[in-house]
Amino acid sequence: GNGSAVYLLSSLFNHSCSPNVEPVFPHNNHIVEMRALRDIEKNEHLSISYIDSNLSYEERQHKLLHGYGFQCRCEKCLEESL
């Protein structure tokens, strides 16, 4: 089944349409872990995607603006907006 919850530490992650970590539930319970999606540089901020980052630029911008109240200016969006 699907559900929703608020996790204190993971709620502090910023959004990116090209995130470097993703939340996972490895034991299919209430414990969330973050899994690296690529090598992470020293001092690089950790980010997750709040939405499906495979959507088109326009769809991502719409979902983030209307669902989260901001216009995304991550590296991927800046590149695709040109």
Side-chain angles (χ1 to χ4, degrees):
N2 289 333
S4 62
V6 175
Y7 290 84
L8 180 60
L9 291 178
S10 57
S11 70
L12 299 174
F13 283 78
N14 286 326
H15 165 80
S16 173
C17 292
S18 133
N20 52 18
V21 296
E22 69 177 346
V24 294
F25 298 86
H27 307 292
N28 205 24
N29 60 17
H30 65 282
I31 298 173
V32 64
E33 294 180 6
M34 294 296 170
R35 178 183 300 152
L37 296 171
R38 59 174 173 76
D39 288 342
I40 299 171
E41 300 293 325
K42 182 179 180 179
N43 296 321
E44 180 180 355
H45 289 271
L46 301 179
S47 62
I48 61 175
S49 183
Y50 296 172
I51 59 167
D52 178 357
S53 55
N54 293 314
L55 297 171
S56 72
Y57 168 76
E58 291 80 13
E59 290 172 308
R60 293 193 319 267
Q61 290 296 320
H62 180 82
K63 283 188 176 286
L64 291 167
L65 183 59
H66 295 285
Y68 294 90
F70 69 93
Q71 181 179 10
C72 186
R73 291 187 178 94
C74 72
E75 186 176 307
K76 180 176 180 176
C77 285
L78 291 175
E79 195 174 284
E80 291 179 14
S81 69
L82 300 176

